[in-house]
Amino acid sequence: MMWVRSLLFNASFYVWTALVATAGLPLLVSPLLVRVGQRLWAVGVVVLLRVFVGVRHEIRGREHLPDGPFIVAAKHQSAWETIIFFLLLDRPAYILKKELLSIPLYGWYALRGGHIAIDRKGGAKALRQLVLDTRAAAALGKVPVIFPQGTRTAPGADVPYQAGIAALYRGMNLPVVPAALNSGLFWGRNAFMKTPGTIVLEFLPPIPPGLEKGAFMTELESRTEAASDRLLEEGRR
């Protein structure tokens, strides 16, 4: 039964995505309209998840989001968190790998929506450009969203945190809000099958600016991993 339900979700997800991407082409005239389209798309995916495979979500810790500018550093286990921040933040600016911009339609929307691309092979020069681009986005009132491990990871996998988040923390002088989650239990990386249940995303208390690089990275990783492990255990129960 879950195979059939997963098939229905996967098919409807791609149909919905193609429909929004093609019908929404006129929205490319305005970044504001692109954001409206992205939010509409995200709402549709959340509804499809609930209807076809029984996956819901719960958001905790909204009280930890600062009133002023900040950066979200989120755990990355699934495609789900590349979608949900369109609904959780007024103006998210995802930090994504440069290669994604070459994807037809997706790349157009990413550029016009003001998301931030990084050349992961570009070394120190790419990190400096990342800081400049993220500063520009924050100056426009956007909230940068970065996945510090740089890729989707299986639940419980030990994957190091990358230099991008350290560069942003040092160069932006903004609080960083860690976000823990357990989405990989229900929508695994490249997994055809989806599992019914409730994805939990939890915003943790912000890490204030000013820490030394090593101390910041240790604080971010230890808090995010401990909270994500707790949510994984909760999800498995």
Side-chain angles (χ1 to χ4, degrees):
M1 182 62 176
M2 278 312 303
W3 186 91
V4 174
R5 295 176 66 181
S6 295
L7 175 63
L8 290 172
F9 168 74
N10 292 332
S12 63
F13 170 81
Y14 287 113
V15 169
W16 172 243
T17 299
L19 177 63
V20 173
T22 53
L25 285 173
L27 303 180
L28 289 170
V29 300
S30 165
L32 174 60
L33 293 178
V34 168
R35 291 197 299 273
V36 171
Q38 289 170 332
R39 183 178 289 264
L40 173 65
W41 172 70
V43 168
V45 175
V46 167
V47 171
L48 294 173
L49 270 174
R50 183 174 67 249
V51 169
F52 286 118
V53 289
V55 174
R56 294 169 170 78
H57 66 265
E58 177 186 348
I59 308 302
R60 301 174 184 172
R62 292 177 188 267
E63 68 275 10
H64 296 311
L65 297 179
D67 292 331
F70 61 95
I71 300 166
V72 171
K75 186 74 174 171
H76 194 13
Q77 296 178 352
S78 168
W80 180 83
E81 51 271 13
T82 67
I83 299 165
I84 198 64
F85 287 104
F86 288 123
L87 303 181
L88 301 183
L89 303 171
D90 287 337
R91 301 184 67 187
Y94 282 99
I95 294 169
L96 45 84
K97 57 185 179 182
K98 184 179 180 180
E99 295 84 344
L100 294 177
L101 298 183
S102 63
I103 299 176
L105 295 180
Y106 178 93
W108 305 348
Y109 286 105
L111 279 172
R112 195 61 171 148
H115 301 287
I116 304 161
I118 179 172
D119 180 0
R120 297 195 295 184
K121 299 179 182 179
K125 180 179 179 181
L127 291 179
R128 289 193 294 271
Q129 188 62 49
L130 171 65
V131 173
L132 292 175
D133 292 344
T134 308
R135 282 178 182 166
L140 294 174
K142 299 177 182 178
V143 178
V145 178
I146 186 171
F147 302 118
Q149 291 169 296
T151 187
R152 285 176 290 179
T153 62
D158 184 12
V159 177
Y161 283 49
Q162 302 300 312
I165 183 59
L168 288 185
Y169 179 76
R170 182 176 62 251
M172 298 286 291
N173 197 36
L174 293 176
V176 171
V177 178
L181 47 79
N182 62 4
S183 58
L185 292 178
F186 310 98
W187 185 349
R189 178 180 181 180
N190 300 324
F192 173 85
M193 292 289 292
K194 309 301 184 285
T195 302
T198 301
I199 296 173
V200 179
L201 183 146
E202 182 175 350
F203 293 111
L204 306 176
I207 301 173
L211 295 181
E212 183 270 332
K213 175 183 175 182
F216 164 71
M217 293 296 283
T218 298
E219 182 77 1
L220 175 64
E221 182 170 355
S222 61
R223 286 171 51 182
T224 305
E225 293 301 309
S228 293
D229 287 346
R230 170 173 49 80
L231 295 178
L232 287 173
E233 181 60 28
E234 179 181 326
R236 291 188 177 109
R237 291 199 303 268

